[in-house]
Amino acid sequence: MAEQGQEKLAQEKNINWHQVSSISDIEDGSALAINASGHTQETLRHFNFLSLLATGVAVNNCWSNLAGTLVVAISNGGPPGVIYEFIAACIFYVFISASLAELASAMPSSGGVYHFASVCGGKKYGRICGWFAGWWNFFAYMFGTAGLSSIISNQLVTMYGLFRPDFEPKAWHILVCYVILTWMCCCTVLFMNRFIPLIEKFSMLIILMSCFFTLLVCAFMPKVNAVPYASHEFVWKDWKNATGWSSNGFVFAAGMLNGAWGIGTPDTITHLAEEIPRPSTNVPKAILYQTLVGFVSSFLFLIAIFYAINDLEAVINSSTSFPLTEIYRQATGSAGGALALMLLIFFSSFVNLIGGYVCTGRIYWALSRDGVTPFSAVFAKVHPRQKNAFNATIFCGCTSTVLGCVYVGSVTAFNAFISSFIITSTLSYLTAILPHLLSRRQSVEPGPFWMGGWLGWAVNAVSCGYIVVFAVIFCFPYSMPVDATSMNYASLMTGGLSMFVAAWWLVKRGQYKGPQFVPRDSVMLAKDAI
């Protein structure tokens, strides 16, 4: 009976009662339940595996993200270039995904790569590795989310202009849509936290069904309208280098940026590790399934739309702010059909944006509770009723709004921020994976998903090699000759942001301790924390 009473009390306080030495440990609060991050469990563990995977699919939303940058990508080799460059990018991101899944299994924390880098860097370098990894990861998600808001806004304005040939899009049209969409999604995350798992399941359904119907329409409508399909040579063989670079090998490597933009958020669901039971098993599985779903859906999408093109020049020279509309017009043979397909990609992108703010807010909150951000005490708070990173999410919404205002002042300046997404995200991954490799993969206790022997070494090494090489390649100008408008400012933005992070480190390093590794058998761990 005494044991049953101890178990009941421990359950009420969310403590693993099997690891408590006496009931007094529970009653006096000395056995306060913590999670793998070392912090008290404050958020709800209301996700399950399906809703976790759905969040990863929704935030990644690979096929829709690729569609937003498709016309720019076509210059890097034409349709064959886009397809093969996407495949190559996905192969490398499988290595990165596996490396992150391994670390997430060992230490499932909402801090994600911030926590991984802090632990893998060891006592000497862990604090500064985690510091930079956390900030780079936040900047990546913040700019990626802002870029997505811009893409969706362009979709809306383009749909409005489909039946108005004389309509000329203005920057302020984009801004109005941008602000409305941003705060609609932010408010959904802020005030509907208990429904977020259900919303994300619905989001995954929308994304996959939208992709499926788009494939059907693009595959069959040209035949219905008696319009010829593109040739096999056009889709698979006709390499067209329109970048101005003389080396086709370099053009191929640089063109992998588009694939990376589509598939490049394998760490998404690590930031929900404190909101799902048994995260050390569920998170790595969801990461790998997310990557698989993103690849398959996007690969089929690319094939379908390229076969539906009958006038590539009209697509490239389209006057709309979202040139994919012209491909849809050619595929369906009408503005109405193009509008229907645009609505599908719009809804897919909209639910993608909701997931983006779910993750971005969690990242900033995880940094704040360790004192990394300015005014950390404000942004580290979990809302007592909503049980979410309320203040941190508001901050992310405000930051995105400011970036939207930059768009009105200068599209080039706005794109400079967005272009740093891939560089900052992959640098954050590198800062976690490379110390893990250099410490001979012995800095953490293995979780359920662990790549033993030579496999782990090889996967980690390929991941680091890819990031180091392509972080340089992705900083080169997209085309030649280059001017102030067409310049790639990713290196400038990443360097400037890194200088800010370094300066803030000098201010805070005396007070900052950083996250620590919590052993899997710790008596302080809450139930289902691992």
Side-chain angles (χ1 to χ4, degrees):
M1 291 295 293
E3 184 179 74
Q4 292 177 351
Q6 178 176 333
E7 179 182 3
K8 182 178 180 181
L9 182 57
Q11 287 176 344
E12 290 175 352
K13 292 180 175 291
N14 196 29
I15 299 172
N16 189 336
W17 78 278
H18 293 288
Q19 298 175 344
V20 177
S21 58
S22 69
I23 197 167
S24 62
D25 291 341
I26 305 172
E27 293 175 329
D28 65 12
S30 61
L32 187 63
I34 62 173
N35 50 45
S37 70
H39 292 276
T40 304
Q41 180 66 33
E42 297 181 89
T43 55
L44 300 172
R45 290 194 183 273
H46 58 332
F47 281 79
N48 57 28
F49 177 75
L50 182 59
S51 56
L52 186 73
L53 172 61
T55 304
V57 172
V59 176
N60 189 239
N61 197 9
C62 188
W63 76 273
S64 176
N65 289 337
L66 283 177
T69 58
L70 192 62
V71 173
V72 176
I74 286 177
S75 62
N76 289 79
V82 175
I83 292 174
Y84 296 130
E85 289 155 8
F86 171 70
I87 293 173
C90 285
I91 290 172
F92 284 111
Y93 267 88
V94 166
F95 287 90
I96 294 174
S97 297
S99 297
L100 295 178
E102 182 180 55
L103 294 173
S105 183
M107 38 188 162
S109 162
S110 289
V113 292
Y114 159 65
H115 192 110
F116 308 158
S118 299
V119 174
C120 292
K123 293 183 178 180
K124 186 173 183 180
Y125 301 107
R127 290 196 312 144
I128 193 167
C129 285
W131 182 274
F132 275 89
W135 276 112
W136 280 333
N137 196 237
F138 167 71
F139 287 137
Y141 272 82
M142 190 69 260
F143 298 148
T145 304
L148 181 59
S149 293
S150 170
I151 289 173
I152 305 173
S153 301
N154 277 283
Q155 291 172 2
L156 275 176
V157 173
T158 299
M159 285 189 286
Y160 176 82
L162 264 175
F163 300 95
R164 297 168 177 82
D166 297 330
F167 174 71
E168 183 179 348
K170 303 291 185 182
W172 69 267
H173 296 151
I174 307 297
L175 177 63
V176 170
C177 296
Y178 182 106
V179 173
I180 293 173
L181 290 166
T182 293
W183 287 102
M184 283 179 65
C185 294
C186 276
C187 287
T188 301
V189 175
L190 291 170
F191 299 108
M192 299 185 70
N193 184 56
R194 294 179 186 273
F195 299 100
I196 288 296
L198 180 61
I199 291 172
E200 294 301 340
K201 290 178 185 177
F202 183 63
S203 300
M204 181 171 67
L205 180 63
I206 290 176
I207 288 169
L208 296 181
M209 291 302 294
S210 296
C211 182
F212 177 71
F213 285 122
T214 301
L215 294 178
L216 287 181
V217 171
C218 291
F220 292 107
M221 281 302 294
K223 184 176 182 179
V224 171
N225 295 328
V227 176
Y229 291 98
S231 66
H232 297 311
E233 288 74 17
F234 174 80
V235 176
W236 300 103
K237 293 183 179 180
D238 290 345
W239 175 270
K240 297 179 181 178
N241 176 3
T243 63
W245 290 102
S246 58
S247 170
N248 285 329
F250 177 81
V251 170
F252 182 91
M256 288 169 61
L257 176 63
N258 189 57
W261 168 263
I263 202 76
T265 53
D267 67 312
T268 293
I269 48 186
T270 64
H271 304 296
L272 297 172
E274 295 169 28
E275 299 177 53
I276 183 173
R278 301 178 299 280
S280 60
T281 300
N282 285 320
V283 170
K285 284 196 302 183
I287 289 174
L288 299 177
Y289 279 122
Q290 167 196 326
T291 305
L292 177 63
V293 171
F295 170 74
V296 173
S297 59
S298 301
F299 181 66
L300 295 176
F301 170 74
L302 290 175
I303 293 173
I305 62 170
F306 285 145
Y307 271 109
I309 294 175
N310 52 63
D311 186 353
L312 182 59
E313 290 301 317
V315 174
I316 295 174
N317 298 320
S318 173
S319 60
T320 67
S321 58
F322 198 73
L324 180 68
T325 309
E326 177 59 30
I327 299 179
Y328 285 166
R329 193 200 302 268
Q330 293 180 19
T332 62
S334 68
L339 176 62
L341 292 182
M342 284 298 296
L343 285 172
L344 290 179
I345 199 170
F346 167 74
F347 287 122
S348 296
S349 300
F350 181 78
V351 295
N352 181 357
L353 189 59
I354 293 174
Y357 280 107
V358 168
C359 293
T360 308
R362 264 70 169 178
I363 295 171
Y364 200 73
W365 165 70
L367 295 175
S368 297
R369 65 183 178 178
D370 284 337
V372 176
T373 69
F375 307 106
S376 293
V378 175
F379 299 116
K381 290 181 178 179
V382 171
H383 194 280
R385 182 177 177 183
Q386 300 296 334
K387 296 295 182 183
N388 63 0
F390 198 89
N391 294 348
T393 303
I394 290 178
F395 172 81
C396 293
C398 292
T399 303
S400 183
T401 303
V402 171
L403 289 171
C405 295
V406 172
Y407 185 94
V408 175
S410 171
V411 175
T412 302
F414 178 83
N415 289 337
F417 283 100
I418 308 309
S419 65
S420 65
F421 163 73
I422 292 297
I423 306 299
T424 50
S425 63
T426 51
L427 285 178
S428 72
Y429 305 154
L430 179 69
T431 316
I433 300 170
L434 184 59
H436 180 47
L437 188 64
L438 295 178
S439 64
R440 303 179 65 181
R441 297 172 45 81
Q442 297 176 357
S443 55
V444 295
E445 178 186 352
F449 176 74
W450 188 260
M451 297 177 289
W454 64 268
L455 179 61
W457 285 87
V459 170
N460 293 164
V462 171
S463 300
C464 293
Y466 164 79
I467 293 171
V468 170
V469 172
F470 281 84
V472 176
I473 292 175
F474 290 162
C475 288
F476 277 81
Y478 307 118
S479 60
M480 295 295 288
V482 65
D483 56 27
T485 302
S486 61
M487 178 61 184
N488 181 358
Y489 292 99
S491 57
L492 176 64
M493 291 305 306
T494 303
L497 293 168
S498 299
M499 290 176 63
F500 159 77
V501 172
W504 187 239
W505 164 257
L506 295 176
V507 174
K508 298 285 289 185
R509 63 177 177 174
Q511 309 164 32
Y512 172 68
K513 295 181 179 179
Q516 304 296 318
F517 180 70
V518 179
R520 302 177 66 83
D521 59 352
S522 171
V523 298
M524 303 297 288
L525 279 172
K527 288 191 311 174
D528 291 331
I530 294 292

